[in-house]
Amino acid sequence: MKFNYLFLLTLIYSSTGLLAQGNFNVKGFGSMEHNLEYHQDVEEFDLAWQLGEQSLFVTGDMGNKFSFLGEFSLDYRGGDIHANLHRARIKCNYVGNHSLIIGQMHTPVNYWNDVYYHARIFFPTTDRPLAFSYFIPVHSIGIRAQGQNLGKLNFGYDIQTGNSLTGDGNNPAVLGAFHIKPVDGMRIGASYYYSYIPQNNTMQHMHQGSGMMGSMYAGSLDYQLINFSFARFETKLEILNEFSMVSSRSDTLGVAEGYGNYLYIGYNIKEKYTPYILLDMLKNENNELRNGLVNQLKYGVGYKHQFNPLINLKCQIERYTFNPNWANNSTSNYYEFILQLSYAIY
Amino acid sequence: MNLYYNYLMQYIKSNISVFVTVAFLFLMIGNCSAQNYSSRIRICGNSIDEKSYTKSDIKSIFKGEKSRWKNGNSVILVLRFNEDEKSQHLAKAIYNKSTQGVKKFWLGLVFSGRSNAPLFADSNEEALLMLAKHKGSIGVFVDCKEEIPTEFKVSIIKSENEKSIK
């Protein structure tokens, strides 16, 4: 079992929060789940209990204009405890609803990454969209200009520059994102992200699975990502659609494209009971040299039971079709049943 | 390799703008309505911009859509909030939600880093103390029997175009 300094930071943050006065506070988020997989090809069942990410979230004011937000998590994988620093950012609200943010943050490319982050209690389904495993730059280190709730349509913008997708500071990535919130609970947004990668590698600000071709192709890439998000919550009928389109250009194989679309539709019954359906698909072309050939399709039904705003239980049954990796273009199928308990400590 | 959903992906790609437009128009219908307020609601503010606001302004402020007053003070929300009937009335009148819904709303908003959490008080007395302590704070009270200092009083005015404002 391996501990690192972030675990100590966790303890320090926690104890400080308990003793703190004023607007410094600490919250916790976590999840635990049980998975049952049935692999059609080999006709075998896999059963597993899993402890999900356990996150600590801290906020604090630093005078009238400045505030701090930090988030880090611990999760247990492969017999080791992994600590991750997700966010550490300082925000300066310089005028009205306009702010400058500096530090490590979640890249606001789409609704999911801007709103849910790592707290599964907010997730409408048990997992992130498939695009998060390949296309979405989850974290960024840099500076961001942010505006929100401007005008009658509640217009918001995020203009950001930071390290490239592979963490290279000499070739900064840029992002432009905007959204409107025309009525309560609805948000419509789009974004454009560009990163020049001088040397492709597996280092990245994404989740596991992305940058798979890093070991095979070490050349340069122009990486562009366009996202459209539509979210409708706080009503009986809930909808979330995340569309992602990636285009990468390499000197050797030219322009290649990939697409992903995640759709969630849920229906709230008395706020506590939410049956839902999901459809998630992802396709990446063979000549794309960041992730290589990817074909994935996931669809299923689920049910969320909200005991109260701080704890909920999700049950989800899904069918998953995929090619295992870029080097293996055969397809596999399996069914998965997930029972996930997610919570917030407030 | 082409899986059978390849056609579907291409279809979505070529028609995404149509989907978004149709969904937007469909979901806009029936969502513009004025908030129901009652004489039970009272608004108080300490060193904020105005002495009177429209209902839609109040709703917008208490949903965390305003970060800073024009006088430079940060907006600090004070809510007398627990599980009682007064809180249920407040939740319905200001947020059009249940008390549980309001808690969930703030939990999500604070976690996204887009707004600061309100200061929650268990009683009107406690809320008034918080209000007096923080410049830029604004509070909402239900059935407030306590005497409110004149400088904290904020009136709610009607607006001609109330129904067109969210």
Side-chain angles (χ1 to χ4, degrees), chain B:
Chain B
M1 181 188 64
N2 285 314
L3 291 182
Y4 57 88
Y5 60 87
N6 191 22
Y7 173 76
L8 186 57
M9 291 299 295
Q10 293 299 324
Y11 183 76
I12 288 172
K13 178 192 168 191
S14 57
N15 290 287
I16 186 69
S17 58
V18 178
F19 291 151
V20 169
T21 306
V22 170
F24 175 73
L25 292 174
F26 174 73
L27 291 163
M28 279 288 286
I29 297 168
N31 277 294
C32 296
S33 61
Q35 198 66 64
N36 291 321
Y37 278 64
S38 73
S39 56
R40 298 176 65 188
I41 298 281
R42 182 169 289 182
I43 307 295
C44 301
N46 178 4
S47 306
I48 61 176
D49 292 338
E50 310 287 343
K51 286 294 176 189
S52 58
Y53 286 96
T54 64
K55 292 172 184 176
S56 56
D57 287 339
I58 293 294
K59 184 185 172 190
S60 170
I61 291 166
F62 279 96
K63 292 195 88 171
E65 292 173 1
K66 192 174 183 69
S67 305
R68 187 169 295 282
W69 303 108
K70 286 174 190 166
N71 64 19
N73 289 329
S74 292
V75 175
I76 300 169
L77 305 179
V78 178
L79 295 178
R80 181 230 168 264
F81 206 74
N82 48 42
E83 294 292 333
D84 64 5
E85 190 276 332
K86 288 178 184 176
S87 302
Q88 288 169 15
H89 185 81
L90 186 156
K92 190 69 185 168
I94 302 287
Y95 296 94
N96 196 26
K97 297 179 193 300
S98 65
T99 52
Q100 299 281 304
V102 172
K103 287 178 183 174
K104 188 178 175 187
F105 169 80
W106 276 110
L107 189 64
L109 203 58
V110 172
F111 190 67
S112 70
R114 289 192 173 266
S115 186
N116 293 325
L119 301 176
F120 290 105
D122 283 329
S123 64
N124 285 340
E125 294 92 330
E126 189 184 353
L128 277 169
L129 283 173
M130 286 176 175
L131 204 75
K133 188 179 172 185
H134 298 282
K135 285 194 171 180
S137 60
I138 183 168
V140 57
F141 299 83
V142 178
D143 299 337
C144 185
K145 302 276 192 297
E146 288 72 17
E147 190 167 337
I148 294 173
T150 313
E151 67 270 24
F152 288 176
K153 288 181 180 172
V154 175
S155 58
I156 303 170
I157 56 171
K158 288 184 180 176
S159 165
E160 284 183 7
N161 58 347
E162 193 76 65
K163 287 188 177 178
S164 67
I165 300 173
K166 184 179 71 73

Side-chain angles (χ1 to χ4, degrees), chain A residues 67-294:
Chain A
S67 60
F68 174 81
L69 186 155
E71 186 197 2
F72 47 93
S73 72
L74 298 170
D75 66 320
Y76 187 73
R77 273 182 279 125
D80 287 333
I81 288 181
H82 296 261
N84 299 296
L85 179 63
H86 299 298
R87 284 186 283 178
R89 61 174 228 192
I90 290 173
K91 182 176 181 175
C92 173
N93 175 214
Y94 58 93
V95 65
N97 286 355
H98 302 271
S99 303
L100 275 177
I101 302 171
I102 188 165
Q104 175 155 321
M105 54 202 117
H106 281 86
T107 324
V109 288
N110 61 10
Y111 181 86
W112 192 292
N113 207 37
D114 193 36
V115 173
Y116 298 146
Y117 304 108
H118 300 273
R120 278 173 169 70
I121 192 166
F122 302 124
F123 285 16
T125 53
T126 56
D127 299 313
R128 298 178 180 92
L130 292 170
F132 274 74
S133 297
Y134 300 96
F135 299 162
I136 307 296
V138 177
H139 303 115
S140 304
I141 304 174
I143 187 165
R144 185 204 304 186
Q146 181 186 75
Q148 53 183 350
N149 301 309
L150 307 170
K152 288 181 180 176
L153 285 176
N154 284 320
F155 176 80
Y157 67 85
D158 291 280
I159 310 294
Q160 180 179 308
T161 181
N163 289 350
S164 78
L165 199 60
T166 51
D168 173 19
N170 294 322
N171 296 282
V174 290
L175 164 78
F178 73 89
H179 65 258
I180 54 170
K181 294 188 284 185
V183 294
D184 282 351
M186 182 191 290
R187 181 170 140 169
I188 301 164
S191 73
Y192 172 78
Y193 173 88
Y194 172 76
S195 181
Y196 172 70
I197 302 169
Q199 287 183 312
N200 192 35
N201 61 46
T202 53
M203 279 182 61
Q204 30 69 36
H205 289 285
M206 296 183 179
H207 286 287
Q208 275 185 312
S210 56
M212 287 193 300
M213 293 290 283
S215 57
M216 297 293 292
Y217 173 72
S220 65
L221 277 174
D222 279 311
Y223 186 88
Q224 298 179 82
L225 176 70
I226 295 171
N227 284 280
F228 295 99
S229 300
F230 178 87
R232 181 73 167 114
F233 289 95
E234 301 180 29
T235 53
K236 287 276 185 193
L237 184 67
E238 297 182 335
I239 300 173
L240 175 60
N241 196 82
E242 299 279 19
F243 177 76
S244 304
M245 183 173 81
V246 68
S247 168
S248 76
R249 188 183 65 78
S250 62
D251 291 337
T252 48
L253 295 180
V255 176
E257 292 181 339
Y259 310 97
N261 196 82
Y262 167 93
L263 174 67
Y264 156 87
I265 300 175
Y267 188 79
N268 276 319
I269 304 167
K270 293 183 178 178
E271 275 193 67
K272 284 190 170 184
Y273 321 111
T274 312
Y276 62 83
I277 57 171
L278 82 121
L279 173 65
D280 196 358
M281 51 190 130
L282 187 136
K283 180 174 175 60
N284 207 37
E285 288 181 343
N286 200 18
N287 61 334
E288 205 279 309
L289 291 175
R290 177 79 187 146
N291 291 305
L293 175 69
V294 183

Side-chain angles (χ1 to χ4, degrees), chain A residues 33-49:
Chain A
E33 62 185 48
H34 182 62
N35 291 30
L36 168 64
E37 291 177 8
Y38 174 69
H39 294 262
Q40 278 182 295
D41 312 336
V42 289
E43 296 185 349
E44 273 184 5
F45 283 100
D46 278 338
L47 280 164
W49 288 95

